[in-house]
Amino acid sequence: MTDTIDSAAADRIAEFRAEIDEIDAQLVGLLNRRAECSLGIRKLKPAVHWGLYDPKREEEIFAHIASLNEGPLYADNLREIYTTILHVMKEMQG
């Protein structure tokens, strides 16, 4: 009986991992799209005399993602993830 339970659990783990791989593929695509938009904004900012760093916009982003959150991630978890994303976007070479 234990072998059946272990086998079923192993199969379910494999299913979850396959789903995570699919989600990761989507995330990579979405992050690259976001990067393209960030680079587009960066190119346009000098024309409107805006600085490259906008702390107000970052806080708007954090508030927006917090409002979208339905869990299980906490708002602080998303803020940490997005802090890294925003850092990478700022460091990106156009």
Side-chain angles (χ1 to χ4, degrees):
M1 185 64 100
T2 303
D3 290 338
T4 304
I5 293 171
D6 291 346
S7 176
D11 289 347
R12 191 68 182 124
I13 289 170
E15 290 171 10
F16 278 125
R17 286 180 174 170
E19 186 172 355
I20 287 171
D21 289 345
E22 290 176 26
I23 292 166
D24 286 343
Q26 292 172 22
L27 285 171
V28 168
L30 291 170
L31 287 168
N32 279 305
R33 279 181 47 201
R34 191 185 196 293
E36 289 170 358
C37 290
S38 292
L39 289 171
I41 290 169
R42 183 184 303 171
K43 288 177 185 173
L44 294 171
K45 279 187 170 184
V48 293
H49 307 289
W50 291 1
L52 293 179
Y53 175 64
D54 185 351
K56 181 181 175 198
R57 175 62 182 148
E58 282 195 8
E59 288 305 318
E60 289 171 354
I61 292 168
F62 294 140
H64 178 69
I65 62 168
S67 74
L68 298 172
N69 188 26
E70 295 180 3
L73 289 171
Y74 293 108
D76 287 346
N77 300 136
L78 286 173
R79 186 179 182 104
E80 184 177 346
I81 292 165
Y82 267 79
T83 296
T84 301
I85 290 170
L86 294 174
H87 173 77
V88 170
M89 298 295 164
K90 283 184 267 188
E91 298 294 318
M92 231 177 4
Q93 298 298 314

